[in-house]
């Protein structure tokens, strides 16, 4: 397994076959609706609505080579990107951080 300490966990990857196998029709519909919404809101902000990525399993023998390449090109480590939400894995659930909201201010 490649050493991943210090890697910024910026993405959530779901295997398409797992969606088909493990989600019922309602859950598939919910997921589709959420992804559509994210894409539309990204478009409204002038961002690309959908990217295509290469995904590397850290258990692969070549993963450390890919990690080295990412580090050499500045795509490694913690970033302070206001567009990124860091989720925490608690048990078997991804939990978003607590966000304080100021009421009465718009």
């Amino acid at each position: 397994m490649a050493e991943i300490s210090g890697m910024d966990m910026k993405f959530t990857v779901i295997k398409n076959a797992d969606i088909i196998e493990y989600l019922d029709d309602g859950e598939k519909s919910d997921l589709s609706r959420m992804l559509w919404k994210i894409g539309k809101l990204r478009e409204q902000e002038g961002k690309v609505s959908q990217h295509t990525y290469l995904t590397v399993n850290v258990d692969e023998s070549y993963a450390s080579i890919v990690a080295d390449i990412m580090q050499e090109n500045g795509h490694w480590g913690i970033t302070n990107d206001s567009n990124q939400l860091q989720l925490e894995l608690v048990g078997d659930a991804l939990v978003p951080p607590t966000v304080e909201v100021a009421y009465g201010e718009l």
Side-chain angles (χ1 to χ4, degrees):
M1 180 184 290
E3 174 58 42
I4 61 168
S5 63
M7 181 174 68
D8 191 7
M9 303 299 278
K10 292 173 56 173
F11 303 98
T12 299
V13 177
I14 304 170
K15 188 175 179 180
N16 291 331
D18 289 344
I19 293 169
I20 293 166
E21 182 175 351
Y22 300 121
L23 299 183
D24 63 33
D25 288 343
E27 292 165 331
K28 289 174 189 172
S29 178
D30 290 343
L31 179 59
S32 176
R33 209 170 23 259
M34 287 184 276
L35 295 173
W36 178 86
K37 180 179 179 178
I38 290 168
K40 287 298 176 189
L41 292 174
R42 287 183 58 84
E43 284 177 5
Q44 289 176 10
E45 291 181 355
K47 298 177 182 177
V48 175
S49 66
Q50 194 172 27
H51 291 281
T52 301
Y53 294 94
L54 296 172
T55 304
V56 178
N57 187 326
V58 295
D59 291 334
E60 298 292 348
S61 60
Y62 52 82
S64 60
I65 297 168
V66 174
D68 290 342
I69 292 169
M70 291 176 68
Q71 289 172 356
E72 290 170 8
N73 288 279
H75 295 282
W76 195 269
I78 304 301
T79 59
N80 292 320
D81 185 346
S82 62
N83 293 312
Q84 298 295 325
L85 178 65
Q86 187 70 36
L87 301 179
E88 181 182 354
L89 185 61
V90 177
D92 62 352
L94 286 173
V95 179
T98 302
V99 178
E100 293 199 23
V101 177
Y103 293 98
E105 296 178 19
L106 296 177

